[in-house]
Amino acid sequence: MDSKVRVRFAPSPTGGLHLGGVRTVLFNYLFAKHHKGEFILRIEDTDQTRFVPGAEQYIQDTLAWCGLTPDESPLHGGPYGPYRQSERKAMYKQYADTLIEKGYAYYAFDTPEDLDAKRKEIPNFQYSRAHRMELKNSISLGADEVAVLLKNNTPHVIRIKVPENEEVSLDDVIRGHVSFDTNMVDDKVLLKADGMPTYHLAVVVDDYLMKITHAFRGEEWLPSAPVHVLLWKYLFGLDKMPKWAHLPLILKPDGNGKLSKRDGERLGFPVFAMDWTDPNTNTTTIGFKERGFLPAAFVNLLAMLGWNDGTDKEIYTIEELIAGFSLDRVHKGGAKFDYEKAKWFNAEWIKKTENEKLAPLVRPYFEEAKIEIHNPNYLVKIIGLVKERCHLLPEFVAQSSFFFTAPTTIDTASIAPKWDEKKYLFFEELVKLYVSKMETGLLTIPASTLEIEFKELVAKHELKAGELMLPFRIMLVGGKFGPGVFEIVEAIELKDTVTRIEKCLQLLSSN
RNA sequence: GGAGCGUUCGUCUAACGGUUAGGACGCCAGGUUUUCAUCCUGGUAAUACGGGUUCGAUUCCCGUACGCUCUACCA
């Protein structure tokens, strides 16, 4: 590679960023960083009718959350700005004019209504060589007539004039040689009536001006690639064209087809990276972040959707991904998204992440549940105790709320059937034991000691530990779950332990 | 309809002509956990179909089927 690698992610700001979009960002980022190149964010906001306020900010926020920060962007600036296409409007016109001068493009005066009528009249209508002469444009019309129309500011677009009987091809990095017959390609609009470029013109002009070396985009763009290749040929030369890589799609889990926002709603899992609230409808679509995914896990699972390094390794840090990434190991076929596996990735990352780093991420969920955390160190300790049973961040609340407040519901139904006087007496004496410890000034006792003392008492009462452990757990936790009983006692300390036993004893005798 | 792209366990994928077609998720069974989860062990399950090429095809070629994407003055 003779020039520095420069890649770009070019979304249009119309809503939340879905899995496929973020994965495109990720592959861009990994490729750029692997080659010590630059990653650019360019906002493609040429369609003013689809502009959604807040969407651009959302994209920036999402990239920041994922840790995929662009080197150049509307926010960060850079030497090739502006990075919003709406602010580059003037640049595109000159290239469209050049194309007209060279005879590679023409003016078209057909109204949308004209075209609709044509589409109805002719099956499989395409604005192309086959029908050009039947329409109102600077090829079919006389020069004088065109001059008048232009002089009168008649609304018009500029279309590419696709040549006849040529083969246009590109060497896609992922798919290899792909070729098209120009007779099958239609004369796409390059410059709209409002003076804004369409994607087709803008992507070519901006990729050139921004010195993009590798252009990644979703597979859905492949059918329009010949238009882009032609534009490169006419405007800047094929030798300057970036290498294309059309990425496979991310598919819905059931059936076939591209994963959509609706699939997530239907099947109950997020599709967007972060919560997205549509300002028009004021409805919020849930995101992976808010569902409780770690960004590292999210990035990891996305990377594995369509790429692998050829080994059995599945858990990767971003650094490892950068080091190992290569386009020749990206798949051609689409990948169905599996939410179960996504959760597994997150569980792995929760186990892998230090308790101290988890604490601030988990804390908001406790606040939401109105559970106060007085001691940050205590939270860190509890996280260590329960992290391996949590797949998603919010589960920390359900798995550990009893460490912070006494359980509100107690599953006495699981104790009652086998409850008897002997057990009652046992727990009464256990309380006495703990109270006596407290009177010596002890707040808590190590779990190992607690266990020994507990078993001594069990033996004294001629009972079996097995039949006492479950009741004890339920008294403390409220249900049949959670870490080791004595670790819980150690954590919540003697005073709370005693209170909880006594409360439950009352509950059991009142029934 | 047309064009382009794709196709290995249910899912994500490995095997770049020679393997009992491997791993992971899920699921099932057993063990550990005197609970649940974790963890460990084992099991389940795939080369879309038909022709070639070859001593030998998951792998290369052709065809068929199926699927997907595009077919807007949207990206």
Side-chain angles (χ1 to χ4, degrees), chain A residues 147-436:
Chain A
V148 171
L149 285 166
L150 288 178
K151 199 180 171 196
N152 294 341
N153 287 322
T154 311
H156 62 276
V157 300
I158 294 178
R159 286 180 181 269
I160 183 173
K161 186 182 175 190
V162 175
E164 287 179 39
N165 304 321
E166 279 185 30
E167 185 191 283
V168 184
S169 65
L170 65 145
D171 288 299
D172 188 276
V173 187
I174 294 170
R175 273 147 230 285
H177 192 78
V178 182
S179 72
F180 302 83
D181 176 353
T182 53
N183 294 343
M184 298 297 168
V185 180
D186 60 330
D187 294 347
K188 289 272 187 259
V189 171
L190 265 19
L191 206 70
K192 299 186 262 192
D194 65 1
M196 278 287 191
T198 59
Y199 172 83
H200 307 294
L201 211 216
V203 72
V204 170
V205 169
D206 284 341
D207 282 353
Y208 170 75
L209 259 19
M210 294 183 178
K211 295 194 162 62
I212 300 303
T213 59
H214 300 262
F216 305 156
R217 67 203 336 186
E219 190 187 353
E220 68 267 28
W221 286 109
L222 203 45
S224 55
V227 175
H228 310 318
V229 173
L230 249 16
L231 288 175
W232 269 99
K233 185 177 160 190
Y234 297 154
L235 250 17
F236 311 116
L238 254 18
D239 53 318
K240 302 218 174 55
M241 185 170 73
K243 297 234 183 317
W244 295 101
H246 289 89
L247 270 20
L249 265 19
I250 295 181
L251 277 15
K252 57 186 73 194
D254 57 343
N256 295 301
K258 207 158 60 152
L259 179 70
S260 73
K261 195 179 88 175
R262 282 201 166 287
D263 296 315
E265 287 159 1
R266 182 170 56 86
L267 271 9
F269 60 79
V271 167
F272 288 162
M274 305 196 307
D275 272 9
W276 164 252
T277 303
D278 188 310
N280 298 124
T281 61
N282 210 34
T283 52
T284 299
T285 308
I286 185 107
F288 279 85
K289 182 187 177 206
E290 289 77 7
R291 262 295 166 91
F293 277 79
L294 260 18
F298 185 55
V299 161
N300 191 165
L301 74 91
L302 242 26
M304 302 313 287
L305 241 35
W307 176 86
N308 72 82
D309 74 352
T311 70
D312 290 340
K313 186 175 168 69
E314 291 194 279
I315 302 299
Y316 288 86
T317 63
I318 187 75
E319 291 79 15
E320 289 168 334
L321 288 172
I322 290 170
F325 188 77
S326 74
L327 282 177
D328 55 19
R329 293 209 61 94
V330 174
H331 267 240
K332 290 183 174 77
K336 288 186 183 180
F337 177 66
D338 181 357
Y339 189 52
E340 292 306 317
K341 184 131 192 186
K343 284 193 285 192
W344 174 79
F345 273 109
N346 204 52
E348 291 300 307
W349 270 96
I350 286 176
K351 280 185 277 186
K352 192 179 154 79
T353 305
E354 298 88 328
N355 303 340
E356 290 77 9
K357 289 191 179 154
L358 251 15
L361 301 172
V362 158
R363 212 181 163 115
Y365 296 104
F366 282 94
E367 281 161 16
E368 205 176 302
K370 302 261 186 309
I371 294 170
E372 280 188 61
I373 291 162
H374 305 289
N375 182 350
N377 292 332
Y378 183 63
L379 176 62
V380 169
K381 184 186 167 178
I382 299 310
I383 285 171
L385 250 27
V386 301
K387 69 197 281 190
E388 65 192 23
R389 57 196 76 213
C390 297
H391 287 76
L392 266 15
L393 258 17
E395 290 169 20
F396 274 90
V397 175
Q399 286 294 338
S400 69
S401 64
F402 56 85
F403 280 107
F404 304 92
T405 67
T408 47
T409 55
I410 297 189
D411 181 16
T412 48
S414 294
I415 309 179
K418 291 186 176 176
W419 188 249
D420 58 28
E421 186 69 12
K422 284 186 77 175
K423 287 177 186 162
Y424 182 92
L425 291 172
F426 169 83
F427 279 105
E428 216 175 36
E429 195 169 341
L430 188 65
V431 166
K432 276 184 200 156
L433 173 69
Y434 290 164
V435 169
S436 72

Side-chain angles (χ1 to χ4, degrees), chain A residues 26-55:
Chain A
L26 178 62
F27 284 7
N28 267 294
Y29 181 87
L30 294 177
F31 184 80
K33 296 305 154 188
H34 181 87
H35 292 285
K36 310 243 182 302
E38 280 144 2
F39 168 53
I40 292 114
L41 173 67
R42 182 173 75 216
I43 300 295
E44 309 226 340
D45 54 351
T46 53
D47 185 358
Q48 290 158 337
T49 62
R50 292 213 308 163
F51 175 79
V52 177

